[in-house]
Amino acid sequence: MKRLVALGVILALSGCGGGYDSLPPQVSNGNGGTVGAGGSFPTKEDGKWKYGDVSNESGVFSLSARIDATNTYTVPKYPNLKQRSWIDLEKRKMAAGTISKRFTIFAPEQVKCTPTCDIRIKFNSQIATYKFEQRVEGVLTPINDQVSSELFDKTTQSNSATVYLPIVGLSDDVESEFNLRGYNKGKMTFESL
């Protein structure tokens, strides 16, 4: 009799699904955590910035910082392949004694941008549209130096960004999310080298 009661309880519990049927789906954000419906970044951890420099006989003349998107997207031609976009920032010493700031988006897939297009970017909670050009497939640069410098500054001063990429073969823009926390200004300053 006890076995029948225990078996009945097990069957009753397994039939109700454990009560999790009404929870929102969990989606991996590529950052080791999950994001529920409506979320963005699960923790306040720093983004995974990568830094580099280029020098010649006169010293360092170029500094770079790269941040990869925290999420991936499916490639239209190959459904089993996932791609990840990234942002590259560069500071370069110019001949006139000034320093240029460059902002570049790398999309590993073909983008609907021939030769120019509008790309929406959301920094923290503010969204704006910027004109980009694509001289090389998948490499998007702002239309002029002023916009490039503005995007460089917004990237280094924000906690998060979402870039809406118009990938060829997809009807909706791909939302590439970036955790911009932890940018090291010292590694992008010429005087510190």
Side-chain angles (χ1 to χ4, degrees):
M1 183 68 168
K2 288 183 181 179
R3 287 185 185 169
L4 288 175
V5 171
L7 183 59
V9 170
I10 290 171
L11 288 173
L13 287 175
S14 65
C16 70
Y20 296 105
D21 297 324
S22 63
L23 292 178
Q26 299 293 304
V27 178
S28 172
N29 70 354
N31 200 22
T34 56
V35 179
S40 59
F41 296 104
T43 65
K44 303 275 189 212
E45 294 177 8
D46 287 346
K48 295 178 179 161
W49 287 94
K50 298 171 191 131
Y51 301 91
D53 59 71
V54 179
S55 59
N56 57 20
E57 63 278 350
S58 300
V60 174
F61 67 89
S62 175
L63 300 169
S64 63
R66 173 182 164 161
I67 189 79
D68 293 342
T70 59
N71 62 329
T72 59
Y73 60 90
T74 302
V75 175
K77 291 182 202 173
Y78 309 104
N80 294 330
L81 182 62
K82 301 282 187 184
Q83 292 284 34
R84 185 182 310 270
S85 60
W86 68 91
I87 293 173
D88 190 66
L89 304 177
E90 182 190 27
K91 276 188 177 179
R92 184 175 288 235
K93 287 184 181 178
M94 305 305 285
T98 60
I99 297 174
S100 70
K101 295 178 182 178
R102 296 181 183 169
F103 174 95
T104 308
I105 300 169
F106 290 87
E109 288 300 307
Q110 188 178 2
V111 179
K112 302 171 195 167
C113 194
T114 50
T116 63
C117 60
D118 291 332
I119 302 286
R120 293 177 300 136
I121 303 176
K122 179 169 60 173
F123 288 102
N124 295 334
S125 60
Q126 302 293 322
I127 193 164
T129 301
Y130 303 91
K131 187 159 290 292
F132 279 79
E133 60 185 346
Q134 179 179 223
R135 292 184 186 161
V136 177
E137 187 174 301
V139 180
L140 302 169
T141 55
I143 198 72
N144 61 43
D145 291 341
Q146 181 181 352
V147 173
S148 191
S149 182
E150 177 187 342
L151 288 170
F152 183 106
D153 291 342
K154 284 186 175 188
T155 302
T156 61
Q157 297 166 8
S158 300
N159 291 324
S160 64
T162 303
V163 178
Y164 299 86
L165 294 171
I167 302 295
V168 171
L170 297 177
S171 57
D172 293 328
D173 289 348
V174 168
E175 295 181 19
S176 288
E177 298 179 357
F178 295 88
N179 177 3
L180 304 176
R181 295 178 190 278
Y183 170 76
N184 189 331
K185 187 177 178 182
K187 290 187 177 183
M188 291 291 284
T189 304
F190 287 105
E191 293 76 28
S192 68
L193 298 173

